[in-house]
Amino acid sequence: MRWQPPPAGAFDAPGVVTLTGQADAGDGRALAASVRVQVTPPVQERATPAGVTATFTEPGYSPDGLANGVLTDKAWSNWRSGPKNPSDTLTVTLPERRTLTQVVVHFYRDGSDSYPQRLRAQVRDPQGGWVDAGAPVDVPTGTAGAPVVEVPVPAATDAVRVVLTAYPDRHITASEIEVFAAAPGTSSDASAAGISLDGVPLAGFDPEKLSYTVARRGKLPCVTAVAADPYATVVVGQPKAGSRTATVKVTSEDGSQSRTYTIRLRR
């Protein structure tokens, strides 16, 4: 399969972009081909981690608990007898490189303010080094509940870590680390791009017009349709001898909208 390069800026705005190319038929022939690519504004989704590690964990706890989906449990602690650690780092590794948007750290109140003084988010670069994703962020204390700290992380990476700087002689406990990444959005478009009868485009078709009457003699045609959104669902009800009416129902990709077109075949 060979595709023609898209025009400059083709994917800069939401919409549907059609690319053309050629497919190898396997017998020496080249067949014309086309593909429709949907462009949507990105949405934010929680990225599923491949693993979570910590520079130190109190015995009886595991950093894996920081990704169990529970936002209020005591999942991780760095308490130790004697002098407390001045700093510890929590690292979340992703299965693949993603475009991140933010990291959200849910701390846990362990009888008192068992929170760090500040934190800093870092991302792993393609060479395996760590670079700051922004300035350090102070963690609030004295709150009624455990603080939740949101840190913007506008970077493409396969791992992110949070460096925690402790108060003197104070341990740190946390419930969850959520890593969010950009993901394709879903469309609510439930319009048809075209309707055909035996391969011939329906005359006067308008995506906003839902009812049509067509003069037709002889054998009832096969009705086909294409949705404006390549990921929308199209269900065609073929005409029958009794009603001589065809229907085309388009359901949007996100399932929120549907539109039904009716084609009446008049003798």
Side-chain angles (χ1 to χ4, degrees):
M1 184 73 69
R2 294 182 179 179
W3 297 106
Q4 295 294 325
F11 303 123
D12 291 349
V16 177
V17 179
T18 300
L19 303 179
T20 59
Q22 291 185 331
D24 186 353
D27 58 4
R29 294 180 300 146
L31 305 178
S34 65
V35 62
R36 295 192 300 154
V37 181
Q38 183 192 46
V39 181
T40 62
V43 297
Q44 181 176 265
E45 69 176 13
R46 181 173 177 176
T48 301
V52 184
T53 59
T55 50
F56 176 79
T57 301
E58 177 187 353
Y61 295 91
S62 170
D64 291 338
L66 292 168
N68 63 6
V70 181
L71 308 183
T72 56
D73 64 340
K74 184 179 177 181
W76 173 83
S77 168
N78 73 343
W79 181 90
R80 66 193 309 168
S81 61
K84 303 301 184 283
N85 294 349
S87 176
D88 271 304
T89 299
L90 303 173
T91 302
V92 180
T93 303
L94 303 176
E96 60 185 0
R97 191 174 180 85
R98 297 288 301 271
T99 299
L100 304 188
T101 56
Q102 66 172 346
V103 173
V104 180
V105 184
H106 299 256
F107 290 100
Y108 180 85
R109 182 178 177 83
D110 193 20
S112 61
D113 284 354
S114 51
Y115 321 130
Q117 183 176 6
R118 68 181 61 90
L119 62 82
R120 180 190 294 271
Q122 297 181 326
V123 296
R124 186 161 61 188
D125 63 24
Q127 290 72 42
W130 293 95
V131 295
D132 291 341
V137 177
D138 291 336
V139 178
T141 58
T143 56
V148 178
V149 180
E150 301 179 1
V151 185
V153 183
T157 184
D158 63 353
V160 59
R161 70 183 188 182
V162 178
V163 182
L164 307 171
T165 301
Y167 283 96
D169 199 32
R170 183 186 296 182
H171 74 290
I172 302 170
T173 52
S175 296
E176 192 85 358
I177 293 183
E178 296 181 290
V179 178
F180 290 92
T186 55
S187 172
S188 60
D189 188 355
S191 61
I195 299 175
S196 298
L197 281 61
D198 284 338
V200 179
L202 177 62
F205 173 76
D206 181 339
E208 301 302 318
K209 181 181 178 182
L210 301 182
S211 182
Y212 300 85
T213 300
V214 179
R216 189 79 178 193
R217 292 183 178 181
K219 182 180 178 181
L220 293 174
C222 176
V223 177
T224 56
V226 177
D229 174 7
Y231 297 98
T233 302
V234 178
V235 177
V236 178
Q238 297 295 337
K240 297 181 180 180
S243 65
R244 297 182 64 85
T245 299
T247 58
V248 174
K249 182 177 181 180
V250 182
T251 304
S252 62
E253 179 188 3
D254 65 3
S256 66
Q257 304 291 328
S258 65
R259 184 175 293 184
T260 300
Y261 299 84
T262 302
I263 304 96
R264 297 179 176 85
L265 303 172
R266 178 171 53 85
R267 295 184 188 276

